[in-house]
Amino acid sequence: NSEYMGDSSHSISQRSSTSATRVLIWALVAAAAFTAVALFATTETTTATVTARGSATAQSLSAQVMAAPLRFGPHAISLRQVFYRTEATVAIVNLKPIVPFHVLVIPTRVVARLHELTESETAQLFVACRHVVEVLERNLDGMAGATVSVQDGAAAGQTVPHVHVHIVPRKSVHDFPKGNDEVYERLDNNRREPRTEDAMAAEAATLARFFGQTHPDH
């Protein structure tokens, strides 16, 4: 019996030790899980705080950019001429258009040549051009395409030292009496009558509605 009792006591002792070990392991697991949850919550809170600060900064920067005066080379741009704007680009009506709704898209930073733009500015400029063409074609009767042209430098016919993209709405290749290439002759010939500010503003107000943007004359 004594041997039996001894074995039994040893067995009970082993079971007690095993149970205690299991309790300790579960306690450690629970503590680790609690710590992980707390850490995750702290991280999420920190991330949300940083994100909120970043959003506030972005909104502040956007407000600063949108409030900045606009220039087309040496010329001040009236807000009445603007019909579409992003942080890096602005689309304006043309002083001397060769056809109705011939517009310009320019970077907000004044640089004379394409190679002076950063890669980001270049990308944003042509994304804006794509959007302008798409919206114009969706809203202008008969428009079936566009001549998109850049005169990069005075040697190419650039008259204002500021990168600008001409967007000329087209109905067909027969838009001009001399044929399709006449569009480039007309772009190179700057001896056209300038429009009045009110005429330009009226066109810009019409276009701004297409783009869902506000206009001073609305």
Side-chain angles (χ1 to χ4, degrees):
N1 285 340
S2 61
E3 290 180 1
Y4 177 78
M5 289 298 294
D7 289 343
S8 177
S9 298
H10 181 66
S11 177
I12 290 171
S13 176
Q14 283 183 323
R15 285 199 298 270
S16 298
S17 177
T18 301
S19 297
T21 301
R22 287 175 179 168
V23 169
L24 178 60
I25 290 172
W26 281 112
L28 290 172
V29 169
F34 178 79
T35 301
V37 169
L39 180 60
F40 177 78
T42 301
T43 302
E44 287 292 294
T45 302
T46 303
T47 302
T49 302
V50 171
T51 301
R53 288 176 181 167
S55 298
T57 301
Q59 289 172 0
S60 176
L61 176 62
S62 178
Q64 290 176 6
V65 169
M66 299 304 270
L70 295 172
R71 301 198 68 82
F72 180 34
H75 311 292
I77 298 175
S78 165
L79 291 179
R80 298 182 74 208
Q81 297 171 277
V82 176
F83 64 88
Y84 175 65
R85 189 172 178 186
T86 69
E87 289 202 1
T89 65
V90 60
I92 58 176
V93 293
N94 202 326
L95 178 65
K96 300 177 180 179
I98 63 174
V99 299
F101 301 106
H102 165 197
V103 299
L104 304 176
V105 181
I106 65 175
T108 52
R109 188 168 69 91
V110 179
V111 294
R113 302 291 305 279
L114 272 174
H115 68 263
E116 296 178 73
L117 294 172
T118 65
E119 289 186 1
S120 175
E121 287 172 328
T122 305
Q124 291 181 75
L125 175 64
F126 284 97
V127 166
C129 289
R130 182 183 66 181
H131 182 60
V132 168
V133 170
E134 180 185 10
V135 173
L136 291 183
E137 191 163 333
R138 196 164 58 234
N139 288 277
L140 296 180
D141 290 339
M143 180 175 170
T147 295
V148 180
S149 177
V150 180
Q151 293 160 306
D152 189 26
Q158 184 189 53
T159 56
V160 178
H162 186 154
V163 172
H164 53 285
V165 182
H166 292 268
I167 295 179
V168 182
R170 302 295 302 273
K171 294 182 178 181
S172 78
V173 294
H174 306 295
D175 287 339
F176 302 100
K178 296 180 184 177
N180 191 55
D181 285 348
E182 187 181 346
V183 64
Y184 303 110
E185 292 180 24
R186 294 198 182 194
L187 285 174
D188 285 338
N189 180 3
N190 198 39
R191 295 187 299 274
R192 298 184 296 276
E193 285 297 316
R195 295 191 290 174
T196 65
E197 183 180 342
D198 285 344
M200 295 170 69
E203 184 177 272
T206 296
L207 292 174
R209 284 193 291 270
F210 297 163
F211 289 83
Q213 301 222 332
T214 58
H215 186 272
D217 291 3
H218 278 175

